[in-house]
Amino acid sequence: MSALAVLDALLLAATVATGAVAVFAPRRTAATATFLVFGVLLALLWARLGAADVALAEAALGGGVAGALLVDALGRRRPPRPAPGTATARGARAIAGAAAGAVALVALAIIARAVSPLPSPLATEALGTIPETGVSHPITAVLLNYRSLDTLLEIAVLVTAAWGAAAVARPARSAAPAEASVDPLRRALAGVLLPVLVVLAAWLLVAGSSQPGGAFQSGALLAAALVIADLCGYRRLVPRGRTTAWLVAAGLIAFVALAAVGLALEGAWLAMDPAWAGSAILAVEAVLAVTIGVALFAIFDAAGRADARTPEPSGAAS
Amino acid sequence: MTAFWPLLVAGLALFVLGVTAQLVVRDVIRRIVALNVGSAGVMLVLLAIAGRGTESGLAPDPVPQALVLTGIVVMAAITGLGLALARRIESTSSEDEAGPGGVS
């Protein structure tokens, strides 16, 4: 057993153990903090599994954006105590655990029967027709050419989630903290981070056609940049209100437009001619990255306003 | 990464942990964390399947990897929506009554 194999085994064991702690830690703070560690371990694990794209997205979304959302939700509030007399019975837990274990065994058996022989026929087919897709990176080809309908619907989910979160949010407090009142150190840090994040996002977007990267990772970085800008006093850089709504809808509109162009020129929804597929994919990806970034930020912003006490800051917090 | 079966078992273990916690945990925010852990288990299974044969020189299967990538983005969106709902529920129930309870 080589040293790397030992490290891999340790990484896997640590991931499962951290997941268990994150799920069963009795306090929210502990659960959330462990979940952040879990996200980092997952990103490492995905990288070790040869899925660099997924690792990038996990680090930016699972660890970054979801972490920001969860930590923000912890702030200042104590969780409501469960109603008296309804503490989960020990027996119910045992039954739930046993049932879940049984389901897992069945799932294991099904997966064992269902895994395709190597090399997987679908993978062979997918990798074989890469030159016709307009991009050279297989994952981008799957996401934006072979299975672009999935990605279109995924964007629809994202847009719906953003609208849903905005619907439960309370109206924005009118007086956002003045830019001058933000800690100067934080402002300076944001001044360094923001340009770096934006450049990195743009690079990931363009790199996506030929190597790991693409609209999702780029959009996640953009969302992170917007969260930092919002928290560190650069509120003018952050889209608000109607602008947000349009930017969020833009990705979906652009994608549907691409689908319609395919119908008009090639005779099938989302069909793309290899001659212009590369440019079309990059153009749609650029819009998608902005949409993903703004939508995730809009969700973060709305979640932050979902429990904001409206006018009186009467010490309800703490 | 070499072995396929340990990855599969670990993925299922994470999935089971997430689902069990969904059933027995009451705190809404911990449930959202559990949902994320359970989905990580599904992703681990998919990526383990995608990565089979990489050490014998095969390229990883891009189709499951793209599925997982889609899943991560959807999970982040759902986490955000879930947290917005959870926070709204908790702030409403603590406004309505002084005593404990209300949310189950």
Side-chain angles (χ1 to χ4, degrees), chain A:
Chain A
M1 210 182 201
S2 71
L4 207 52
V6 174
L7 284 179
D8 281 344
L10 279 177
L11 176 60
L12 190 63
T15 310
V16 176
T18 325
V21 174
V23 160
F24 288 114
R27 290 199 354 257
R28 276 183 183 183
T29 37
T32 306
T34 321
F35 179 71
L36 295 185
V37 178
F38 180 69
V40 175
L41 289 175
L42 275 187
L44 275 176
L45 188 58
W46 299 162
R48 289 293 301 140
L49 284 170
D53 294 83
V54 184
L56 276 172
E58 178 70 44
L61 283 167
V65 175
L69 280 163
L70 280 164
V71 170
D72 192 49
L74 286 181
R76 316 177 300 278
R77 290 166 316 108
R78 263 167 296 155
R81 279 155 289 176
T86 55
T88 316
R90 217 165 271 266
R93 287 182 184 222
I95 292 171
V103 170
L105 281 181
V106 174
L108 189 65
I110 292 173
I111 294 170
R113 282 172 56 93
V115 284
S116 53
L118 278 175
S120 141
L122 186 58
T124 316
E125 204 177 330
L127 293 169
T129 47
I130 292 289
E132 296 171 27
T133 60
V135 289
S136 57
H137 186 51
I139 294 180
T140 308
V142 174
L143 281 173
L144 286 145
N145 199 326
Y146 301 137
R147 294 302 311 164
S148 45
L149 180 63
D150 290 353
T151 309
L152 170 60
L153 294 177
E154 167 194 359
I155 297 300
V157 167
L158 190 61
V159 171
T160 313
W163 282 341
V168 297
R170 293 168 202 263
R173 284 149 294 176
S174 51
E179 306 217 334
S181 74
V182 175
D183 176 9
L185 204 58
R186 246 192 318 165
R187 245 181 104 73
L189 178 66
V192 175
L193 279 179
L194 288 177
V196 172
L197 281 174
V198 171
V199 171
L200 208 55
W203 183 80
L204 272 177
L205 175 68
V206 178
S209 4
S210 57
Q211 51 187 301
F216 301 102
Q217 295 87 342
S218 170
L221 279 184
L222 215 52
L226 286 172
V227 170
I228 291 173
D230 188 55
L231 293 179
C232 297
Y234 287 90
R235 285 173 182 262
R236 270 171 306 161
L237 300 180
V238 173
R240 299 257 168 222
R242 199 165 286 251
T243 324
T244 310
W246 277 109
L247 286 174
V248 168
L252 197 53
I253 294 170
F255 220 138
V256 173
L258 177 72
V261 167
L263 183 65
L265 296 183
E266 309 287 324
W269 285 99
L270 286 163
M272 282 187 266
D273 190 285
W276 47 265
S279 336
I281 286 176
L282 192 59
V284 168
E285 273 199 304
V287 183
L288 287 187
V290 173
T291 287
I292 292 168
V294 174
L296 288 172
F297 171 72
I299 292 173
F300 175 81
D301 185 49
R305 284 187 286 117
D307 57 0
R309 286 294 125 66
T310 9
E312 293 89 21
S314 58
S318 97

Side-chain angles (χ1 to χ4, degrees), chain B:
Chain B
M1 274 282 181
T2 46
F4 171 59
W5 288 102
L7 290 169
L8 203 56
V9 170
L12 280 169
L14 284 175
F15 177 69
V16 167
L17 279 172
V19 173
T20 312
Q22 282 296 318
L23 295 175
V24 301
V25 167
R26 286 182 166 275
D27 184 313
V28 277
I29 290 187
R30 282 181 56 208
R31 276 190 168 176
I32 293 171
V33 170
L35 188 65
N36 273 282
V37 171
S39 83
V42 178
M43 293 170 189
L44 182 49
V45 170
L46 279 171
L47 288 180
I49 292 174
R52 283 178 310 149
T54 36
E55 63 282 347
S56 53
L58 284 174
D61 187 346
V63 181
Q65 291 193 353
L67 281 177
V68 171
L69 203 50
T70 305
I72 288 179
V73 176
V74 169
M75 227 19 243
I78 296 307
T79 303
L81 179 59
L83 284 170
L85 287 170
R87 292 171 75 162
R88 182 66 190 249
I89 289 168
E90 291 187 353
S91 70
T92 311
S93 64
S94 59
E95 266 164 20
D96 289 350
E97 59 211 290
V103 184
S104 59

